[in-house]
Amino acid sequence: MLVINGIEKKFNAGTVNEKVALSNFNLSLAEGDFVTVIGGNGAGKSTFLNCVAGVFGVDKGSILIDGLDVTKLPEHKRSSVIGRVFQDPMMGTAGNMGIEENLALAYRRGKTRSLSWGISNKEREIYKEYLSHLDLGLENRLHAKVGLLSGGQRQALTLLMATLKKPKLLLLDEHTAALDPKTADKVLQLSDRFVKEGNLTTLMVTHNMRHAIEHGNRLIMMHEGRVILDIKGEEKQQLTVEDLLKRFGQVSGEEFANDRALLS
Amino acid sequence: MFDIILGAISLGLLWAIMTIGVYITYRILDIADLTVEGSIAMGAAIAAFSIFNGMNPFIATCLAFVGGMLAGLVTGILHTKLKIPALLAGILTMIALYSVNLRIMGKANLSLLRIDTVFTPLENLGLSPTNAVMLFGFISVMAIVGLLYWFFGTEIGCAIRATGDNPQMARAQGINTNNMIILGLVISNGLVALSGSLIAQSQSFADIQMGIGSIVIGLASVIIGEVIFGTRNFFNCLISLVLGAITYRIIIALVLKMGMPANDLKLFTAITVAIALSLPVFKTYLRPLKKSLRGGDL
Ligand SMILES: Nc1ncnc2c1ncn2[C@@H]1O[C@H](COP(=O)(O)OP(=O)(O)OP(=O)(O)O)[C@@H](O)[C@H]1O
Ligand SMILES: [Mg+2]
């Protein structure tokens, strides 16, 4: 579903601040793979997801989604096959627009927008239905401005928006990191459910090792812009946090450095 | 006195069109677009020159609208494709338009006295010049409010609003934010130029200087409208803008009447806008003060 061939990404190339965020990065996901991504601070996890989403171009290599080479495609065009939820709950929704308007924007992802109404009555019923599944009472607040919602509600809504039009690829970048533990669990459960129901190919970055182990069918660990561990299937199911830390030490020759990971 | 108010209302209706244009960039797209200073004068210049040379005033007015749209297009391309910051892109177009407008008119000002304008047919029906402007202004403003209310409810209109609200989210939902910014600037400056062309025809006079300070007048009208007449929903916003533009004109007419020298007008407007824009800051200072005055900890 997703094939990444030796991509490289440098920031501030040619200056003293040059930073190689991804180097010779390879990865290939099968359809329906739910991959959790962990790694220390600055390992390049966000950069990797942003390269796939097209937020910025890559310096080398190619990215294929479902056989289509998207390496040169601008962000808004790639969006037709990619659903995204960001770390910052503010980032995934338009705060000055209503809940239904946000959903209507997402409903039209990948479609050429015209001068027909931005939202129809028929859609409203669909949205109500979907929102009721979130179990947050949002189905009765279709007109409410999204800016009035809590972080958790916004993330749940963003998740719904990301999957409303079934994406070929779902990218979750620490999408529960800004939430309190209880809300984070709820949003994680929702993510699990949406992924399962839609059999969505998913990449989920998390700093929480336990989450990385408990969710998904495959786990990759990144370090200095490369994949240094790739654990699947049976082996992933047996995995513990201690294992993971030990194996990181073996592969990288360093101690795992993510200020947040060890706390949780 | 009554005449002054009527005059202010009729002029306010024409400025309302410009105010709506400013609102589209300033509030919807979240861009302070200085192109308007040039495009309002451009609208006046195009209409005045074309009418002066015998063109049908209605066609001339449409031409002014198109001219403004082109100005917006230039700023849009400078900003989105050439990555020039929006404020600077607007300033560049504004400065360029100063020369362009001089080229269009051939001189710094042009009189339309005793030449037919879009208001003449109404005057021929027996309306006074002020009433003719008022009626024509009212009809145009209502038509524009209706059109924009519809437009910003369409898929494209919603995409423009999303772009101004959260461009990152908009791109993630497949919206070409660059194109939406350009489109918004095009519509905005088209309206501003239309307003300029009507203002010039109502005062039978086009002047190369008439754009100076217009962005501040537009902002003042937007803020006055929002504060006094509310922003409950989009329709309410649009109506507030119109009423804000009229209120601004009435305020100006009154302070002039009370003896303020006309030369101080721009200073007065600038101070008004500065105060209005800084209100949120004052509010944050005032809140703790109120709290301590009340003595409670709520
Ligand atoms: N826009 C940018 N400009 C310059 N350097 C950047 C930029 N974005 C990321 N970097 C650098 O690239 C490296 C990888 O950053 P990235 O954000 O991908 O890390 P991450 O794995 O997501 O880390 P974290 O766990 O802290 O979110 C870091 O050294 C970072 O400083
Ligand atoms: Mg990150």
Side-chain angles (χ1 to χ4, degrees):
Chain A
M1 183 52 83
L2 174 69
V3 179
I4 295 176
N5 291 318
I7 57 172
E8 182 180 299
K9 178 70 194 171
K10 273 192 201 134
F11 288 109
N12 309 315
T15 72
V16 283
N17 292 323
E18 181 171 300
K19 167 82 203 169
V20 182
L22 294 176
S23 67
N24 195 20
F25 187 100
N26 293 290
L27 188 71
S28 157
L29 305 193
E31 183 161 359
D33 262 355
F34 181 175
V35 182
T36 56
V37 184
I38 53 172
N41 299 126
K45 307 179 295 290
S46 299
T47 305
F48 160 47
L49 257 59
N50 285 335
C51 283
V52 173
V55 175
F56 31 63
V58 295
D59 304 324
K60 256 192 217 155
S62 63
I63 301 170
L64 281 80
I65 299 176
D66 201 12
L68 178 72
D69 188 343
V70 299
T71 318
K72 293 267 176 311
L73 226 50
E75 185 182 359
H76 69 270
K77 290 211 173 122
R78 292 192 207 183
S79 297
S80 61
V81 292
I82 297 178
R84 273 190 282 167
V85 185
F86 311 90
Q87 175 171 354
D88 179 357
M90 300 296 171
M91 216 144 113
T93 45
N96 291 318
M97 297 175 77
I99 292 178
E100 59 171 23
E101 285 178 317
N102 271 278
L103 286 164
L105 287 166
Y107 198 58
R108 286 159 180 75
R109 187 151 43 80
K111 167 183 176 295
T112 314
R113 285 160 214 263
S114 71
L115 287 176
S116 52
W117 286 115
I119 180 166
S120 71
N121 280 328
K122 207 172 76 208
E123 286 168 46
R124 285 199 176 90
E125 292 310 311
I126 302 176
Y127 300 157
K128 260 194 189 156
E129 165 83 21
Y130 280 130
L131 285 170
S132 67
H133 294 323
L134 296 184
D135 223 5
L136 293 167
L138 297 181
E139 63 275 16
N140 303 316
R141 301 172 62 188
L142 281 182
H143 290 287
K145 294 234 157 68
V146 170
L148 300 172
L149 304 184
S150 70
Q153 288 173 326
R154 278 181 93 150
Q155 284 307 64
L157 179 63
T158 309
L159 196 60
L160 177 57
M161 287 164 60
T163 51
L164 194 58
K165 275 265 121 109
K166 188 180 169 184
K168 289 190 170 157
L169 196 60
L170 179 62
L171 305 179
L172 311 171
D173 188 359
E174 300 205 38
H175 68 310
T176 60
L179 308 176
D180 64 78
K182 218 174 123 217
T183 319
D185 271 341
K186 169 127 204 197
V187 170
L188 263 176
Q189 276 170 21
L190 278 174
S191 316
D192 255 348
R193 207 181 77 205
F194 284 139
V195 169
K196 216 165 270 149
E197 281 171 8
N199 189 31
L200 302 174
T201 311
T202 304
L203 279 163
M204 179 173 95
V205 176
T206 174
H207 62 261
N208 186 314
M209 293 214 168
R210 193 171 50 78
H211 290 164
I213 289 169
E214 284 169 7
H215 298 264
N217 64 337
R218 184 171 166 190
L219 180 150
I220 61 175
M221 184 181 268
M222 285 182 66
H223 184 60
E224 292 176 348
R226 286 170 303 111
V227 178
I228 55 164
L229 270 182
D230 187 345
I231 303 167
K232 316 176 199 187
E234 192 79 347
E235 196 187 353
K236 160 114 187 338
Q237 280 168 19
Q238 314 290 330
L239 205 62
T240 65
V241 173
E242 288 75 42
D243 284 344
L244 210 49
L245 286 173
K246 208 161 74 209
R247 292 193 56 180
F248 175 81
Q250 287 164 359
V251 184
S252 69
E254 293 172 32
E255 219 157 277
F256 189 80
N258 188 320
D259 44 10
R260 291 162 302 169
L262 299 172
L263 295 175
S264 37
Chain B
M1 186 70 195
F2 191 58
D3 279 352
I4 292 178
I5 302 278
L6 280 187
I9 294 176
S10 63
L11 193 56
L13 282 165
L14 302 185
W15 277 91
I17 300 174
M18 183 271 184
T19 304
I20 293 173
V22 169
Y23 176 85
I24 291 175
T25 47
Y26 184 65
R27 281 285 188 242
I28 298 184
L29 280 181
D30 201 17
I31 287 177
D33 175 33
L34 289 183
T35 318
V36 294
E37 302 241 328
S39 49
I40 192 167
M42 186 190 208
I46 293 178
F49 177 79
S50 315
I51 294 172
F52 189 80
N53 287 292
M55 187 185 278
N56 175 308
F58 288 94
I59 298 177
T61 305
C62 291
L63 213 58
F65 182 68
V66 174
M69 294 205 293
L70 287 177
L73 181 67
V74 170
T75 303
I77 290 174
L78 288 176
H79 174 45
T80 61
K81 308 279 176 199
L82 304 180
K83 307 289 176 216
I84 298 172
L87 198 63
L88 194 51
I91 290 175
L92 291 176
T93 314
M94 172 187 89
I95 296 295
L97 282 179
Y98 196 85
S99 299
V100 172
N101 294 342
L102 269 175
R103 286 252 176 204
I104 293 173
M105 289 206 290
K107 51 185 173 177
N109 50 54
L110 204 60
S111 169
L112 291 175
L113 276 180
R114 278 178 292 280
I115 299 181
D116 282 2
T117 67
V118 288
F119 306 112
T120 314
L122 288 173
E123 287 170 25
N124 291 342
L125 290 174
L127 289 180
S128 72
T130 306
N131 286 343
V133 171
M134 189 143 23
L135 183 61
F136 189 92
F138 180 77
I139 294 171
S140 327
V141 164
M142 283 305 124
I144 289 166
V145 165
L147 264 171
L148 289 182
Y149 184 72
W150 162 77
F151 177 70
F152 282 105
T154 65
E155 292 178 346
I156 294 178
C158 286
I160 294 181
R161 283 161 57 211
T163 300
D165 198 338
N166 183 348
Q168 224 145 3
M169 170 269 191
R171 280 191 293 273
Q173 301 308 336
I175 294 167
N176 185 336
T177 47
N178 281 350
N179 286 355
M180 292 304 123
I181 291 172
I182 293 177
L183 184 57
L185 285 166
V186 164
I187 297 172
S188 163
N189 282 287
L191 289 173
V192 171
L194 173 65
S195 168
S197 80
L198 294 178
I199 293 166
Q201 293 177 65
S202 76
Q203 61 194 20
S204 301
F205 190 73
D207 190 297
I208 191 77
Q209 309 271 10
M210 77 177 269
I212 297 178
S214 57
I215 180 74
V216 183
I217 296 177
L219 289 178
S221 307
V222 169
I223 295 165
I224 291 172
E226 288 179 341
V227 170
I228 301 183
F229 303 101
T231 55
R232 246 173 303 120
N233 52 45
F234 186 53
F235 189 72
N236 179 216
C237 276
L238 288 171
I239 298 296
S240 295
L241 295 175
V242 176
L243 296 177
I246 293 173
T247 309
Y248 173 81
R249 281 295 142 193
I250 294 177
I251 293 172
I252 294 301
L254 291 181
V255 294
L256 285 177
K257 173 85 178 153
M258 275 155 36
M260 191 176 80
N263 286 340
D264 293 343
L265 213 59
K266 291 200 159 69
L267 178 63
F268 174 78
T269 310
I271 292 175
T272 315
V273 172
I275 292 175
L277 287 178
S278 52
L279 272 183
V281 179
F282 289 125
K283 272 189 193 149
T284 51
Y285 280 116
L286 284 178
R287 219 174 289 132
L289 190 69
K290 258 197 221 154
K291 232 193 285 176
S292 54
L293 283 179
R294 236 189 278 122
D297 54 357
L298 229 171

